[in-house]
Amino acid sequence: MLRFCDFSKTYKGGKRAVDGLSLHVEAGDIYGFIGHNGAGKTTSLKAACGILDFTEGNIYIGGISVKDDPLATKKMTAYIPDNPDLYEFMTGIAYLNFIGDIYGVPASERNELIRHYATMFEIEGDLASQIGSYSHGMKQKLAIISALIHKPKLLVLDEPFVGLDPKAAHLLKQVFAELCESGAAIFFSTHVLEVAQKLCNKIAIIKGGRLVVSGKTDEIVGDSSLEEVFLELADVEGGDA
Amino acid sequence: MRQFLMLYKAQLSAMFWSGNKKTAKKGKSLRPRSMAGQALLWVFVMALMGVYEFIFMSLLAAESQGDTAALASFPALVAFASMLLTVITTVSYAKTLLYEAKDYELLFSLPISGGVIVAAKIATLYTLDLIFSLAMMLPCGVFYGLFAAPSVTFYLFYFLLILFVPLIPILVACVVSALFSLIASRFRRTQMITIVLYAIFLCGVMSISFTMSSTTEEGLIGEMFMGALASVTAWYPPLAWFYEATVSGSALWALLFVGVSLACFALVALVIGKFYGRFQEIFRPRAVRRKYKAAEKSSGVMVALMKKDWKRLCSSAGIFMNQLVGLLMLVFFAVIFGVTDLAGGEEEAAEIMGVLFPFIFAMAASMVMDTSTSISLEGKTFPLIKSLPISPKTYLNSKIMLHMTLCAPVITLCGIGVSIAKGLSVVNLIACVVIPLCYAYSSGVIGLLINLKKYKFDWTSELMVAKNSLPVMLATFGGMILSLVPMGIAIALCGSGFPVSAVLIFFMALAVTVAVLMGVILNALGENLFMKIEY
């Protein structure tokens, strides 16, 4: 579903944020992307979603190159950033309808999905309010609903559990599982290693823009914990945080 | 004082420095926002003002023949014009900068009093407005010196008092803005009520200034100016103090002007500062518990994007008024031209007026600046746009479409209305519609292209991108020049015996050609510029 092929990204100032990343997220995967602050996680996620331009390597979604046909790949993808900067001047429902219109979701289908997810995440009563009045967690919930209403084949999330209350975090995990059962893939970055270990069938650890390890969670973690593995890899490489 | 200076410095840096923090992190350093370009632009604005002021001053000098009283009225009237523009441009923004700024929580969490925060914010507004006052008033002082040869005290007091000229208008704007916001906060459709109140206020200010400047209908220019000054000072006494201080060289009047200005500043900062937290509470968006209305039908991508930008425009009265002030001016001009007999019943003068109308409407139309800030106003939500399946072409076209959807009906109605009211020819009627439409389109494209190149996403108040930003300034003054210069040429051609219809047809063809060219340039450059933006 999502394939990074020797992907590298160098910013205008010369900083090489990601260096030769190769990774394959298959349909049905819940793929955790772990790394220190500034390791290159967000850059990789943004490039996959067509937000950041890149010249080296390639990224494919559903077999289509993000570079060659970004519109086609974006139609299959939903992206939730770490900090949900949404249109604060819109009401929650206006924002969801905007996203629905952009993805061409028919009104009846959209309304049903909005009702379903808004009830699930308990923000149905807030959809008539301006997003500017929402808390961080409510914005996060709205961003999640907006990502789900067009039934993406690939869900890319940057720190999705930050700001969510325990119930919403639990619900999100359920949604992840449902999506994967339906054949979608989930690729997300996180610092919460316990969540990654329990939730993801595959993980990748990135450090200083380079992939340190990737594969099935069970095989990487073995008998220890992901936290131990992560810290051990960081020490072995001798990198900074 | 130390806290005030630090905060003031921080606010100014945020206002004048470009680059975006996220880009900077990746190696690009923050740099002054094209300081040389900005300075050049202001020099250009000053030169433009200087030309107008020189023309008026020459006329006054030729007419008065040694009568300095008539000449002396001019600097005071320019000061009044500067004060008026300060009120008009600041009233809609005071709310955004003072009461709705995104840095409120950060600032209020610091051990700084509300009064200091408000003082620093008003001082920032003052700095922005002072630049404009200087651009208007400096050339006037120089020309007055050349024509009237006043004593040295004039220079001393005039150039000193310029620094205090924007203070009272800014404070008036802050108080009016707070009052309007308080009234509007009692209604459900807060923003719409605020916009209506601002529109009424601006029309009122424009009407009063128009009435005051035309108190003497006939006679010498000097008499007209002195009459206007007398009626203005009756409304606004500080102007009389300014006049007395500069012309009579009276230190007492100068002290009174400075003292009252500073006292007002301190009083307003103190009062607003005391209730700053309360204001924030009142003006912030509040959650409402009511059932939402589900969508009855879906829209296409273009319509969805236009609706989004329309909501953005309506979300802030400051943005709405600033961006669409050109349309308000257009309607104002149309009403004035439609109901008054500016030609005084003379056929030749009426013909000349017919040539002027399309260009004056074009000037107002090119001051509709929604596209000049539309990229910057995306702010931190820009990555969201980039993550959606929207082609850059559709995205950019939606901005131009919204711009034209707003401009076209107003231009058409005003053009046809004035043409019918004045009994203009068919060619003239078409010119009154086509030329402003082409100007609206071209200026919309130019504004968008400049904003794609000079964008700013890390703002804490819309003021940072919508007032005095390079794209806005270029669009405003560029539009003014590009409409006034052809207007002058058109009048010169008509005066040289060319038929009015032929001249208008020529300029219509030129305007259409430029508009088509602008469309081609947008198609050629727009996508590339959009893709280059990294945030």
Side-chain angles (χ1 to χ4, degrees), chain A residues 221-241:
Chain A
V221 174
D223 292 331
S224 53
S225 71
L226 182 57
E227 189 178 25
E228 284 167 349
V229 173
F230 180 74
L231 293 173
E232 194 180 314
L233 283 168
D235 284 344
V236 167
E237 295 291 321
D240 56 4

Side-chain angles (χ1 to χ4, degrees), chain B residues 29-63:
Chain B
S29 64
L30 290 172
R31 62 191 158 78
R33 189 170 61 194
S34 318
M35 289 305 264
Q38 288 251 331
L40 265 176
L41 192 71
W42 280 111
V43 169
F44 171 72
V45 172
M46 202 182 282
L48 190 71
M49 298 292 178
V51 171
Y52 289 126
E53 287 162 5
F54 181 78
I55 292 169
F56 275 112
M57 196 65 88
S58 309
L59 288 171
L60 268 175
E63 193 187 85

Side-chain angles (χ1 to χ4, degrees), chain B residues 163-395:
Chain B
L163 301 176
F164 299 90
V165 161
L167 271 181
I168 296 177
I170 288 171
L171 302 174
V172 169
C174 289
V175 172
V176 170
S177 172
L179 272 176
F180 284 179
S181 303
L182 278 172
I183 295 168
S185 68
R186 306 188 78 84
F187 295 87
R188 210 178 113 189
R189 290 189 170 274
T190 310
Q191 289 301 342
M192 198 44 73
I193 299 291
T194 315
I195 288 167
V196 170
L197 287 172
Y198 283 156
I200 293 170
F201 177 75
L202 290 191
C203 286
V205 170
M206 283 199 276
S207 304
I208 289 169
S209 62
F210 189 79
T211 315
M212 284 193 292
S213 59
S214 55
T215 44
T216 316
E217 284 187 8
E218 284 178 36
L220 300 168
I221 301 174
E223 287 171 12
M224 283 171 66
F225 276 30
M226 285 170 74
L229 184 65
S231 56
V232 167
T233 47
W235 277 74
Y236 188 63
L239 191 71
W241 311 336
F242 176 87
Y243 177 80
E244 290 298 336
T246 51
V247 173
S248 327
S250 160
L252 201 68
W253 290 113
L255 272 175
L256 186 64
F257 184 77
V258 172
V260 169
S261 299
L262 287 176
C264 287
F265 179 87
L267 187 71
V268 171
L270 210 71
V271 172
I272 298 178
K274 191 165 172 58
F275 299 103
Y276 194 53
R278 182 88 187 104
F279 277 134
Q280 294 288 340
E281 217 173 276
I282 294 169
F283 301 147
R284 297 238 147 211
R286 272 167 288 180
V288 284
R289 295 295 292 189
R290 62 168 185 265
K291 196 163 165 46
Y292 69 86
K293 200 172 162 229
E296 285 167 10
K297 57 178 183 176
S298 53
S299 309
V301 175
M302 179 71 85
V303 176
L305 287 168
M306 284 169 69
K307 274 179 10 195
K308 188 262 297 177
D309 278 344
W310 171 244
K311 279 178 186 154
R312 179 76 191 87
L313 214 53
C314 295
S315 69
S316 156
I319 292 288
F320 190 92
M321 293 310 297
N322 182 275
Q323 311 291 275
L324 304 185
V325 73
L327 291 181
L328 199 69
M329 281 170 67
L330 214 151
V331 174
F332 184 77
F333 286 145
V335 172
I336 295 290
F337 295 157
V339 299
T340 54
D341 183 16
L342 295 170
E346 287 179 33
E347 202 176 312
E348 201 178 323
E351 205 171 46
I352 294 292
M353 292 308 295
V355 179
L356 290 179
F357 292 152
F359 294 101
I360 293 174
F361 289 164
M363 183 179 74
S366 56
M367 283 184 183
V368 182
M369 295 169 287
D370 56 325
T371 58
S372 307
T373 54
S374 62
I375 302 294
S376 296
L377 282 176
E378 294 283 359
K380 290 174 182 168
T381 58
F382 190 74
L384 173 69
I385 279 293
K386 272 206 153 181
S387 75
L388 296 176
I390 308 164
S391 73
K393 201 175 171 182
T394 309
Y395 175 72

Side-chain angles (χ1 to χ4, degrees), chain A residues 117-138:
Chain A
Y117 287 118
T119 312
M120 180 191 266
F121 285 102
E122 298 176 339
I123 61 163
E124 203 177 11
D126 300 295
L127 289 183
S129 296
Q130 259 197 347
I131 298 174
S133 68
Y134 283 19
S135 67
H136 181 91
M138 282 161 77

